[in-house]
């Protein structure tokens, strides 16, 4: 017995490992255990005293054994088969009614039932307990249907199978292949016993493509033959809804109950399956709190896109019959759809009429050129009005449920940003939208578009903007990831750049007293200064939070690179230094590029200050700008600190006077050199590679050997490695006199 | 009794106007007078004090009411948007405004009540949302309001809150559900009924002006 089992089980394993169905191998390959009859009963007894988990496992094992047994097929042995069969069947039924069967198990058992291997009664019992755990795979159904063609199962089994299909229809995962079998099912209508159930199945399965004239004819013939049967009427009325032209027979419209509820075998089980499905795939709760505005009317009513298509203004006025006088006077308007290229625009610019929906110009760059030139206030008014309404309606974070429309909103924002960039001006409706939506923004949706919109806010007084914009941005900024911080700093830099460009252009047109906001130059400058100081505050807080992260420092220095050149590049009387925290963090950073950038910024500041001083001397009466002594003092402090640190190897001398004798006694003389150009932490690797360049075989490096002439070579090496900022800084700020030890720096002095 | 779907819009330079769409029908029965398929109405009731931006020569009609098939509404609305470059948007009535409406309309003196006072709440829960409807006899509602209402001639926020709180606590006592945590979606009284989507039904012609005045106010607030 044991050997027989062994061979059979190994056969089974071979069969399985060769089997094509991948999902069979997992379950059965390793679970089929070799057990003799005695050991099984022993296991049973011992299991009764163990905890429920083991009982469950035991159940599962039993199920696997049972399924394996059925799959193997009936044996030609004797009476013991019946008891075994009964036992296994009971196992399957228990598990099915308790927990449902896995898709793979259903696959195997369906095959077994419909192939009729074990006889009619068993097949029927198996079919009755085919309750899925969650899903039924479509392939199993197709395979089962293929057994129907073979004709190995009895009529009753077929009827029960169809009833089962109808009951479990909703749990089949895909229906595409089953739909392809439509013709086969339709042909089964001939059978009187199957007809009602097949009709029900077809009722569930039919799609528009399945309704064909020959099928309609067939149904009508059947109806004639069998009389007015409710199931046939059901199918016919379904066909009629799909293709009303094919059916001219009048059908009673109101009948709602067509089919007997043939599910009553499985109703309780179906409820359990549904519950299981819901637990397995819980739908995310759609919490709708607050006003839901639903789909915007623009999209519901007009076109798929939010921005309307371009239409000439007079298009709707019927047929355009051009009279002769129109031709001669040249007053006919040029149809906008034919505008293809820029020369075309120039030729027809005198007879262009703007479209009826102004927002359609947003997509057309030629018309944007036109709008830029035409001095008509109503154009911008109409555009701003449409824009404010569209942004408010389309904004996805106003409406809680609207995240599906995120893509369209992102598109709209992209177009608006592109137009602003094209026209080089900011729209007031975008500003208003920012103010309205920023308090509700989560910092995540449409982030890059939102930050770009921020950089296009038109110039206005900073103290007015601060509570509306920055007070909401600051908490987001300080609690966000470093990438958000960097992105926001970059968009603030672009904001500053835009403001500087607008102001510098206006300052040239109307110098000194007037400005775009009808404020004085002084007020304008105050606004800029406040912005820069605010960003400085944000930066230093962020640096402390992120422990002087290099990436953040890089973006901060980018911002101040723009700030340091305001006087020279934009010709605006403005000089603002960076806060000390930023200076010190950059000076002591571990990244060489930061140091380089810092040197560059210091060099530019130097240039700007000298230029300002010169202008002050020359045109003292004209400029409102007084180079304050405070800025000079601050800059001097920075400059001194930097030079002493990097060049003179005397870091932190100022303000912290330490007696050199006591330093020597404490043995801390080393730190003196530890921040100069050779031993600065970020430049150590460069010093090392410089020395190795010279003498590659050396095992130890003596950094102190870099002095005198070698120092100059070392500097040249650094310059060749890309330290342009350092080069410019050294050339501008450090005057090297003859002799290696006497080196001066040039400081700023005020008048 | 007419049911309107509210929309608000701002246009410049249009008189008060009512639009009607008649059906063109083949059958001889209806050829004498065409069946009205759709009605639309631009209006503004007591809105002048709130509209600051409109200049002297222009009439501002911020409120648009439509009665009829949605397809026709979209046709007309689309045509207006294309021709006059205007914007239509649905008037969403928040729960706050709905509770105000409930209080105001309960406060109205009626000779006889034609409909019960009903409230509908929507509770978000999975898989389907739960809808709670709470119907009160109109005279009882009026009695409750009269006990709450102290200041003659005007309605204050505290009175509205107290009115709603009484209803909520009564419901809670019986069903142990805190209605204040759910979302009020519909209010229905004998004067009128309003849904949060912007659908209103005016039942009593005596207070038509009052209802429309409140709607105009809401419309203007939404535009600005």
């Amino acid at each position: 017995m044991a050997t027989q089992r062994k061979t059979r089980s190994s056969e089974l394993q071979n069969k399985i490992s060769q089997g094509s169905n991948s999902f069979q191998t997992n379950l059965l390959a390793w679970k089929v255990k070799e057990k003799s009859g005695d050991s099984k009963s022993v296991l049973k007894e011992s299991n009764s005293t163990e905890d429920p988990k083991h009982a469950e496992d035991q159940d599962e094992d039993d199920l696997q054994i049972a399924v394996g047994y059925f799959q193997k097929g009936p044996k030609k042995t004797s009476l013991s088969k019946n008891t075994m069969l009964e036992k296994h069947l009971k196992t399957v039924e228990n598990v099915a009614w308790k927990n449902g069967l896995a898709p793979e198990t259903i696959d195997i058992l369906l095959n077994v039932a419909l192939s009729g291997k074990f006889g009619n009664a068993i097949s029927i019992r198996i079919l009755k307990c085919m309750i899925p755990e969650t899903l039924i795979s479509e392939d199993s159904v197709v395979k089962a249907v293929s057994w129907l063609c073979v004709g190995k199962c009895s009529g009753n089994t077929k009827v029960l199978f169809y009833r089962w299909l109808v009951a479990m229809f909703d749990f089949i995962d895909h229906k595409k292949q089953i739909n392809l079998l439509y013709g086969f099912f339709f042909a089964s209508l001939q059978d009187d016993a199957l007809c009602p159930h097949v009709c029900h199945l077809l009722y569930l399965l039919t799609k528009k493509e399945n309704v064909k004239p020959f099928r309609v004819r067939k149904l009508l013939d059947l109806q004639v033959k069998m009389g007015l049967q409710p199931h046939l009427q059901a199918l016919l009325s379904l066909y009629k809804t799909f293709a009303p032209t094919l059916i001219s027979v009048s059908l009673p419209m109101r009948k709602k109950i067509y089919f007997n509820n043939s599910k009553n075998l499985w109703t309780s089980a179906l409820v359990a399956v549904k519950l299981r499905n819901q637990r397995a795939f819980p739908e995310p709760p759609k919490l709708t709190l607050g006003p839901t505005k639903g789909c915007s009317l623009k999209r519901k009513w007009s076109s798929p896109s939010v921005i309307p298509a371009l239409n000439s203004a007079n298009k709707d006025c019927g047929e355009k019959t051009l009279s002769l006088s129109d031709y001669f006077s040249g007053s006919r308007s040029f149809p906008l759809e034919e505008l293809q290229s820029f020369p075309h625009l120039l030729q027809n610019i005198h007879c262009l009429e703007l479209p009826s929906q102004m927002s359609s110009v947003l997509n057309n760059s030629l018309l944007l050129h036109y709008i830029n030139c035409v001095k008509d206030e109503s154009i911008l008014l109409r555009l701003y009005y449409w824009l404010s309404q569209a942004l408010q309606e389309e904004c996805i974070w106003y409406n809680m449920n609207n995240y599906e429309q995120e893509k369209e909103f992102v598109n709209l924002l992209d177009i608006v940003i592109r137009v602003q960039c094209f026209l080089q001006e900011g729209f007031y409706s975008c500003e208003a939208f920012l103010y309205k939506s920023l308090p509700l923004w989560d910092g995540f949706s449409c982030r890059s578009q939102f930050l770009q919109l921020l950089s296009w806010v038109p110039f206005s007084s900073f103290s007015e903007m601060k509570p509306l914009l920055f007070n909401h941005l600051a908490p987001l900024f300080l609690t966000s990831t470093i990438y958000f911080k960097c992105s926001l700093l970059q968009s603030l830099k672009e904001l500053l750049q835009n403001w500087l460009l607008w102001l510098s252009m206006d300052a040239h047109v109307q110098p000194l007293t007037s400005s775009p906001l009808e404020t004085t130059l002084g007020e304008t400058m105050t606004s800029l200064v406040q912005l820069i100081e605010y960003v400085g505050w944000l930066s230093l807080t962020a640096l402390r939070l992120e422990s002087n992260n290099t990436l953040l420092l890089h973006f901060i220095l980018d911002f101040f690179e723009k700030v340091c050149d305001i006087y020279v590049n934009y010709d605006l009387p403005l000089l603002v230094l960076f806060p000390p925290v930023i200076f010190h963090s950059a000076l002591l950073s571990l990244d060489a590029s930061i140091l380089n950038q810092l040197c560059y910024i210091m060099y530019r500041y130097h240039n700007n200050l000298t230029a300002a001083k010169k202008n002050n001397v020359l045109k003292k009466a004209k400029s409102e700008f007084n180079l304050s002594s405070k800025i000079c003092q601050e800059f001097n402090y920075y400059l001194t600190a930097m030079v002493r640190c990097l060049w003179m190897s005397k870091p932190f001398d100022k303000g912290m006077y330490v007696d050199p004798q006591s330093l020597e006694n404490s043995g801390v003389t080393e730190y003196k050199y530890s921040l100069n150009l050779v031993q600065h932490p970020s430049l150590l690797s460069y010093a090392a590679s410089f020395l190795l360049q010279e003498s590659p075989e050396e095992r130890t490096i003596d950094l102190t050997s870099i002095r005198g002439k070698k120092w100059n070579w070392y500097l040249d090496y650094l310059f060749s490695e890309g330290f342009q900022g350092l080069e410019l800084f050294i050339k501008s700020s450090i005057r090297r006199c003859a002799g290696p030890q006497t080196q001066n720096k040039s400081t700023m002095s005020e008048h | 009794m007419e049911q309107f779907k509210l929309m608000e819009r701002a246009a410049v330079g249009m008189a008060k106007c009512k639009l009607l769409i008649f059906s063109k029908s083949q059958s001889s029965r209806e050829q004498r007078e065409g069946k009205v398929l759709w009605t639309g109405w631009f209006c503004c009731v007591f809105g002048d004090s709130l509209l600051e931006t409109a200049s002297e020569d222009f009439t501002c009609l911020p409120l648009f009411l439509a009665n009829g098939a949605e397809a026709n509404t979209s046709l007309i609305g689309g045509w207006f948007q294309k021709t006059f470059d205007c914007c239509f948007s649905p008037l969403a009535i928040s729960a706050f405004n709905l509770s105000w409406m409930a209080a105001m309309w309960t406060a109205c003196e009626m000779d006889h009540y034609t409909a019960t006072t009903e409230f509908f709440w929507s509770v978000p829960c999975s898989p389907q949302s739960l809808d709670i409807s709470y119907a009160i006899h109109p005279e009882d509602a009026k009695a409750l309001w009269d006990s709450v209402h102290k200041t003659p001639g005007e309605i204050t926020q505290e009175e509205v809150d107290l009115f709603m709180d009484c209803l909520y606590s009564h419901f809670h006592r019986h069903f142990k559900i805190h209605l204040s945590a759910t979302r009020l979606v519909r209010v229905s009284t004998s004067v009128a009924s309003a849904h949060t989507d912007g659908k209103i039904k005016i039942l009593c012609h005596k207070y038509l002006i009052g209802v429309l005045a409140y709607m105009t106010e809401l419309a203007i607030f939404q535009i600005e």
Side-chain angles (χ1 to χ4, degrees):
Chain A
M1 187 67 171
T3 47
Q4 257 188 330
R5 274 191 177 268
K6 229 193 232 173
T7 49
R8 251 183 254 116
S9 64
S10 61
E11 271 171 27
L12 177 63
Q13 285 193 336
N14 285 341
K15 200 162 70 169
I16 289 166
S17 55
Q18 291 164 15
S20 51
N21 290 327
S22 54
F23 39 75
Q24 278 190 25
T25 53
N26 295 340
L27 281 181
L28 299 175
W30 60 279
K31 282 269 191 174
V32 176
K33 293 187 184 101
E34 305 172 25
K35 285 194 188 98
S36 62
D38 308 342
S39 57
K40 214 180 270 174
S41 55
V42 165
L43 273 169
K44 242 195 218 166
E45 280 166 23
S46 60
N47 273 342
S48 57
T49 54
E50 286 169 4
D51 41 337
K53 187 171 183 288
H54 282 271
E56 255 183 51
D57 287 347
Q58 183 63 31
D59 270 351
E60 213 182 290
D61 293 345
D62 281 343
L63 180 65
Q64 303 311 330
I65 298 171
V67 170
Y69 171 82
F70 280 116
Q71 195 175 20
K72 271 185 278 192
K75 294 172 282 204
K76 295 195 194 80
T77 52
S78 58
L79 306 154
S80 65
K81 166 188 158 192
N82 285 343
T83 46
M84 282 285 286
L85 183 63
E86 189 58 40
K87 197 169 76 73
H88 288 309
L89 200 49
K90 272 230 165 52
T91 319
V92 171
E93 281 172 348
N94 281 342
V95 176
W97 282 95
K98 198 162 72 161
N99 281 335
L101 299 168
E104 300 88 2
T105 320
I106 292 191
D107 189 270
I108 299 171
L109 288 173
L110 261 186
N111 274 339
V112 167
L114 287 174
S115 58
K117 277 191 230 173
F118 285 90
N120 216 13
I122 306 292
S123 303
I124 288 188
R125 275 181 73 181
I126 293 181
L127 271 179
K128 278 192 188 162
C129 68
M130 288 281 94
I131 295 162
E133 196 176 20
T134 47
L135 287 176
I136 300 175
S137 133
E138 184 187 30
D139 294 329
S140 349
V141 176
V142 172
K143 270 191 281 184
V145 172
S146 69
W147 277 112
L148 291 177
C149 307
V150 178
K152 283 248 177 105
C153 50
S154 72
N156 284 344
T157 320
K158 280 193 201 162
V159 168
L160 189 58
F161 173 68
Y162 278 113
R163 281 172 67 189
W164 177 82
L165 252 189
V166 163
M168 303 291 166
F169 194 74
D170 294 323
F171 302 118
I172 306 178
D173 53 359
H174 305 291
K175 316 254 196 313
K176 196 157 162 243
Q177 290 185 352
I178 302 182
N179 197 288
L180 294 173
L181 294 170
Y182 193 91
F184 171 76
F185 291 128
F186 197 86
S188 321
L189 281 175
Q190 303 276 29
D191 190 334
D192 287 339
L194 291 178
C195 190
H197 308 289
V198 177
C199 273
H200 198 168
L201 177 65
L202 291 176
Y203 187 82
L204 293 169
L205 198 57
T206 306
K207 292 207 176 78
K208 192 158 186 208
E209 308 80 66
N210 303 118
V211 180
K212 298 271 165 62
F214 72 91
R215 292 198 176 126
V216 174
R217 274 196 298 267
K218 180 84 202 164
L219 276 180
L220 291 171
D221 287 341
L222 269 177
Q223 200 173 40
V224 163
K225 200 173 68 169
M226 296 190 356
L228 282 173
Q229 300 281 345
H231 43 90
L232 289 174
Q233 280 194 330
L235 203 49
L236 275 172
S237 59
L238 184 64
Y239 278 16
K240 191 158 184 178
T241 55
F242 282 131
T245 51
L246 288 178
I247 302 180
S248 52
V249 180
S250 67
L251 294 161
M253 295 302 285
R254 255 166 281 247
K255 211 164 183 196
K256 288 261 173 154
I257 304 175
Y258 287 122
F259 299 108
N260 277 334
N261 191 5
S262 54
K263 298 180 202 178
N264 37 22
L265 276 182
W266 294 285
T267 357
S268 56
L270 286 179
V271 170
V273 179
K274 275 200 192 116
L275 271 179
R276 270 200 294 269
N277 272 341
Q278 273 166 13
R279 251 185 282 129
F281 313 108
E283 277 172 17
K286 294 197 185 94
L287 295 174
T288 60
L289 298 166
T292 50
K293 290 190 191 169
C295 186
S296 82
L297 282 181
K298 284 194 216 318
R299 206 128 13 82
K300 264 206 292 195
W301 285 0
S302 49
S303 49
S305 72
V306 179
I307 298 182
L310 192 62
N311 279 325
S312 314
N314 297 328
K315 203 167 170 218
D316 291 330
C317 300
E319 295 285 321
K320 266 203 336 203
T321 50
L322 296 163
S323 63
L324 274 174
S325 58
D326 277 336
Y327 259 113
F328 287 126
S329 62
S331 65
R332 66 186 169 101
S333 57
F334 185 76
L336 289 170
E337 293 92 345
E338 296 176 23
L339 205 59
Q340 297 292 347
S341 64
F342 197 70
H344 224 177
L345 170 71
L346 293 176
Q347 282 166 18
N348 292 303
I349 204 163
H350 54 282
C351 60
L352 266 186
E353 205 175 306
L354 285 165
S356 52
Q357 285 185 288
M358 192 48 76
S359 43
S360 47
V361 304
L362 288 176
N363 268 331
N364 190 323
S365 59
L366 294 169
L367 286 176
L368 284 174
H369 277 301
Y370 181 65
I371 286 181
N372 217 1
C373 319
V374 168
K375 294 260 176 262
D376 189 353
E377 270 195 20
S378 69
I379 297 178
L380 282 180
L381 268 177
R382 281 164 71 179
L383 197 55
Y384 288 165
Y385 179 74
W386 182 90
L387 207 50
S388 60
Q389 290 290 315
L391 286 172
Q392 184 176 330
E393 255 189 63
E394 297 286 323
C395 181
I396 56 175
W397 55 84
Y398 281 170
N399 309 344
M400 293 284 287
N401 292 340
N402 230 356
Y403 283 94
E404 298 91 33
Q405 284 148 20
E406 178 162 7
K407 227 169 140 193
E408 282 112 354
F409 188 56
V410 164
N411 275 346
L412 175 63
L413 284 180
D414 277 334
I415 292 175
V416 170
I417 292 168
R418 201 171 56 217
V419 170
Q420 284 183 112
C421 194
F422 187 87
L423 293 175
Q424 283 292 304
E425 76 181 72
F427 293 154
Y428 284 103
S429 22
C430 292
E431 190 184 355
F433 167 69
L434 269 180
Y435 293 158
K436 264 198 230 172
S437 62
L438 190 50
L440 301 168
W441 190 45
D442 56 359
F444 188 71
S445 27
C446 313
R447 179 192 285 180
S448 72
Q449 282 78 20
F450 204 82
L451 291 176
Q452 281 179 312
L453 270 183
L454 184 61
S455 63
W456 281 103
V457 170
F459 179 78
S460 59
S461 148
F462 184 79
S463 42
E464 278 171 18
M465 266 177 72
K466 184 159 181 289
L468 292 170
L469 201 62
F470 290 105
N471 282 358
H472 295 293
L473 272 179
L476 271 175
F477 175 81
L478 295 171
T479 55
S480 60
T481 64
I482 196 163
Y483 302 106
F484 183 84
K485 291 188 169 86
C486 295
S487 318
L488 184 59
L489 283 171
Q490 185 175 6
S491 60
L492 286 174
K493 179 183 90 164
E494 285 168 13
L495 174 67
L496 180 67
Q497 181 175 316
N498 286 333
W499 282 12
L500 291 171
L501 277 171
W502 292 325
L503 286 173
S504 68
M505 282 183 33
D506 275 328
H508 282 144
V509 170
Q510 292 131 355
L512 295 176
T513 43
S514 62
S515 79
L517 275 187
E518 292 164 2
T519 55
T520 64
L521 189 63
E523 283 174 22
T524 320
M525 293 301 123
T526 317
S527 201
L528 279 176
V529 167
Q530 283 174 336
L531 173 66
I532 297 174
E533 283 175 355
Y534 187 78
V535 176
W537 172 78
L538 275 180
S539 319
L540 64 91
T541 321
L543 269 182
R544 288 190 186 125
L545 283 171
E546 301 283 345
S547 342
N548 293 2
N549 183 297
T550 312
L551 185 64
L552 186 61
L553 205 43
H554 177 71
F555 277 88
I556 295 174
L557 287 181
D558 265 349
F559 180 81
F560 282 102
E561 211 176 302
K562 182 122 315 247
V563 169
C564 64
D565 262 331
I566 291 180
Y567 191 83
V568 169
N569 284 352
Y570 298 97
D571 209 11
L572 289 169
L574 191 61
L575 272 166
V576 184
L577 286 177
F578 42 39
V581 172
I582 295 177
F583 172 74
H584 288 124
S585 312
L587 187 58
L588 301 174
S589 90
L590 294 174
D591 194 87
S593 60
I594 298 282
L595 196 62
N596 186 40
Q597 205 170 4
L598 181 65
C599 294
Y600 180 74
I601 293 177
M602 292 297 288
Y603 157 69
R604 293 305 310 165
Y605 266 127
H606 190 151
N607 273 14
N608 277 264
L609 280 167
T610 11
K613 201 171 73 166
K614 214 190 303 178
N615 278 342
N616 246 6
V617 170
L618 295 175
K619 314 176 208 164
K620 218 171 189 162
K622 254 195 168 177
S623 77
E624 278 184 25
F625 174 60
N626 288 320
L627 189 58
S628 74
S629 60
K630 191 162 170 286
I631 288 189
C632 290
Q633 274 177 2
E634 260 189 72
F635 180 72
N636 284 342
Y637 165 72
Y638 288 153
L639 188 58
T640 320
M642 218 163 139
V643 171
R644 290 181 93 96
C645 211
L646 295 175
W647 194 266
M648 292 161 70
S649 312
K650 288 186 217 166
F652 310 133
D653 255 3
K654 278 190 112 156
M656 223 172 63
Y657 180 76
V658 186
D659 188 13
Q661 189 62 43
S662 60
L663 265 179
E664 269 189 63
N665 290 345
S666 58
V668 200
T669 46
E670 311 332 305
Y671 90 96
K672 201 157 114 180
Y673 299 102
S674 62
L675 287 174
N676 65 5
L677 278 174
V678 173
Q679 294 192 13
H680 194 282
S682 59
L683 296 174
L684 265 180
S685 53
Y686 287 94
S689 57
F690 170 70
L691 286 172
L692 282 176
Q693 222 181 37
E694 282 193 335
S695 36
E697 298 86 32
E698 285 285 323
R699 282 303 199 82
T700 58
I701 304 174
D702 184 17
L703 289 171
T704 53
S705 68
I706 302 184
R707 59 174 69 172
K709 251 197 185 157
K710 228 172 176 183
W711 178 272
N712 294 335
W713 293 340
Y714 174 60
L715 283 183
D716 290 332
Y717 172 73
L718 280 181
F719 298 158
S720 71
E721 285 288 317
F723 280 84
Q724 269 98 31
L726 186 61
E727 184 176 358
L728 292 166
F729 174 71
I730 290 176
K731 287 205 175 113
S732 73
S733 306
I734 299 180
R735 237 178 303 139
R736 309 184 63 178
C737 307
Q741 291 308 317
T742 51
Q743 286 151 358
N744 296 325
K745 59 193 186 308
S746 70
T747 52
M748 293 304 307
S749 61
E750 72 283 2
H751 278 239
Chain B
M1 169 165 74
E2 282 181 320
Q3 186 178 4
F4 292 96
K5 182 149 186 224
L6 284 177
M7 278 179 288
E8 51 82 20
R9 120 209 129 66
V12 181
M14 266 257 332
K16 291 189 188 49
C17 78
K18 187 167 180 181
L19 309 164
L20 296 164
I21 300 184
F22 288 92
S23 67
K24 230 198 235 173
S25 123
Q26 300 289 342
S27 69
S28 57
R29 269 184 296 131
E30 294 173 24
Q31 226 164 29
R32 276 168 282 127
E33 59 171 59
K35 193 170 83 155
V36 176
L37 288 178
W38 182 90
T39 318
W41 190 19
F42 291 104
C43 75
C44 173
V45 182
F46 299 135
D48 308 324
S49 52
L50 297 164
L51 289 165
E52 305 152 344
T53 54
S55 57
E56 293 299 314
D57 302 326
F58 289 103
T59 316
C60 186
L61 302 166
L63 190 61
F64 180 72
L65 303 143
N67 178 13
E70 178 69 30
N72 292 329
T73 314
S74 65
L75 256 176
I76 307 275
W79 179 81
F80 267 107
Q81 284 184 159
K82 274 209 198 73
T83 321
F84 296 101
D85 202 7
C86 57
C87 296
F88 279 83
S89 58
L91 180 67
I93 309 176
S94 65
F96 175 77
N97 291 325
L98 281 174
S99 56
W100 260 92
M101 281 191 237
M104 284 194 302
W105 297 339
T106 313
C108 297
E109 293 287 339
M110 300 273 287
D111 299 327
H112 68 281
Y113 291 97
T114 52
T116 53
T117 305
E118 261 188 284
F119 297 82
F120 291 86
W121 284 270
S122 161
V123 184
C125 61
S126 67
Q128 293 113 357
S129 64
L130 181 66
D131 293 320
I132 302 177
S133 108
Y134 183 4
I136 318 170
H137 203 270
E139 277 146 11
D140 293 338
K142 181 79 169 64
L144 175 63
W145 174 255
D146 287 334
S147 65
V148 167
H149 184 57
K150 295 287 183 291
T151 56
E154 64 164 9
I155 300 180
T156 63
Q157 179 67 46
E158 289 85 23
E159 286 169 7
V160 174
D161 288 339
L162 192 52
F163 179 68
M164 295 306 288
D165 281 339
C166 291
L167 296 173
Y168 290 157
S169 57
H170 180 78
F171 197 85
H172 177 71
R173 192 176 28 228
H174 288 278
F175 297 102
K176 299 286 179 255
I177 296 179
H178 287 286
L179 285 172
S180 47
T182 62
R183 189 168 70 99
L184 182 60
V185 294
R186 184 156 175 239
V187 160
S188 177
T189 63
S190 299
V191 172
S193 85
H195 191 282
T196 192
D197 285 345
K199 291 196 174 82
I200 61 165
K201 227 186 224 183
I202 305 179
L203 298 156
C204 172
H205 60 266
K206 194 168 146 197
Y207 294 103
L208 174 68
I209 301 291
V211 172
L212 287 179
Y214 191 68
M215 293 300 157
T216 313
E217 211 180 298
L218 288 181
I220 293 174
F221 281 141
Q222 188 164 325
I223 296 178
E224 290 169 4

